[in-house]
Amino acid sequence: MRTIAIVCGGDTSEHDVSMRSAAGIESFLDKERYKIYKVEIHAGKWEAIMPDESRHAVDRNDFSFANEDGKTIRPDYCYITIHGVPGENGILQGYFDLIGMPYSTSSLLVEAMTYNKFVTNNYMRSMGMSVADSLLVRQGHDKEVADADIIDRIGLPCFVKPAAGGSSFGTTKVKTAEQLRPAIDLALKEGEDVMVEAFMPGTEITCGCYKTKTVQRILPITEVVMTTNEFFDYDAKYNGAVQEITPARLSEEVTSRVQKLTSSIYDILGCHGIIRIDYIITEGNRINLLEINTTPGMTATSFIPQQVRAAGLDIKDVMTEIIEDSF
């Protein structure tokens, strides 16, 4: 029986979302095949959580810890579900590479690049992908660029968001010039770089994908329909202020194009494990890349479990395929 550590927590605003994803993953995994522990990384502490909720410190030399019987164990595999630092930006991946620990996500390079939306979008644009126009505002230099120049370049409305981060923390849809500077200040509270991105009217969708040595699965697409919120912010994502339709109400032709594009992006980047890619379909059925999520949410109601169910698959089997691909 392999020992699996679900690595969760992190040091960003997404900490609590990560803990919910960890609970979801724990419920999905095959308990007859795996012995499972959650390991929370937060505020300088690395702690393994026992079945009775007691906590044991993790030895960072080899990621070992004492189990509930006092026996020192080292996990065979780590399923990373930290949304943010240090699990989604490559730091943890580099550490696991150094100690020879198999893990669920893409490599250090892929994680570092996709965590920064501005870097990702410009790289993918160079690969021929359609992405919104954007510019970067850096902390300490944010007063050097005039609001009028930003608006002249990007236009209104626009989105102001942390370049690195997720769950829409610090993100604002800016409609007037007066809203721009407060939006930049808000985003700077989440990170050092802020991306100002052109607004694209259209249909927001998301598509999950994973590949192993033996299977390639591009999942059904989910359509994201706003009910009360103007965009897919934290409230919409986690408090039900959105309608999620799986499979999306797209033609067979557009569905096929989105799924093929998702598969191509997976291969272009050299991804590993489950990813989820968000798009906007604009006029003329143009597919525009929004964001690449390499550690997508994994609660029971998250997009990936929804899409797995819509594909007629068992999430337990999906988790097993991903984990066993490393052995």
Side-chain angles (χ1 to χ4, degrees), residues 50-195:
M50 298 299 112
D52 63 0
E53 298 299 318
S54 64
R55 291 170 175 255
H56 296 175
V58 172
D59 185 339
R60 301 186 196 188
N61 290 297
D62 61 0
F63 209 70
S64 64
F65 51 84
N67 69 2
E68 59 269 37
D69 299 320
K71 179 182 177 183
T72 299
I73 62 169
R74 184 175 188 265
D76 298 296
Y77 181 92
C78 287
Y79 199 105
I80 302 172
T81 189
I82 292 177
H83 311 308
V85 180
E88 199 173 9
N89 65 342
I91 293 175
L92 199 56
Q93 288 77 9
Y95 162 75
F96 283 145
D97 287 340
L98 284 171
I99 65 170
M101 174 67 70
Y103 54 86
S104 59
T105 68
S106 302
S107 67
L108 183 161
L109 175 62
V110 175
E111 295 296 319
M113 183 168 66
T114 55
Y115 189 59
N116 188 302
K117 301 177 184 70
F118 186 77
V119 171
T120 303
N121 283 7
N122 282 281
Y123 178 75
M124 298 312 296
R125 182 186 286 112
S126 76
M127 293 292 175
M129 307 294 169
S130 176
V131 299
D133 190 19
S134 62
L135 58 78
L136 196 68
V137 179
R138 292 192 183 278
Q139 190 174 59
H141 300 276
D142 48 297
K143 302 298 189 293
E144 296 174 9
V145 56
D147 294 3
D149 292 338
I150 294 174
I151 293 169
D152 184 58
R153 161 74 184 278
I154 300 298
L156 290 174
C158 65
F159 283 102
V160 176
K161 61 182 74 173
S167 293
S168 297
F169 285 108
T171 298
T172 306
K173 184 178 181 180
V174 172
K175 296 180 179 179
T176 67
E178 292 74 24
Q179 294 173 335
L180 180 61
R181 192 55 51 172
I184 291 173
D185 292 341
L186 177 65
L188 283 171
K189 293 179 181 178
E190 293 292 327
E192 296 180 349
D193 293 338
V194 172
M195 183 166 77

Side-chain angles (χ1 to χ4, degrees), residues 237-266:
K237 288 178 180 178
Y238 303 112
N239 296 323
V242 67
Q243 184 182 6
E244 299 166 2
I245 303 170
T246 310
R249 298 170 297 183
L250 302 172
S251 68
E252 289 185 13
E253 185 266 341
V254 174
T255 296
S256 176
R257 284 169 53 209
V258 170
Q259 291 179 320
K260 287 178 180 177
L261 183 58
T262 301
S263 180
S264 294
I265 292 172
Y266 193 103

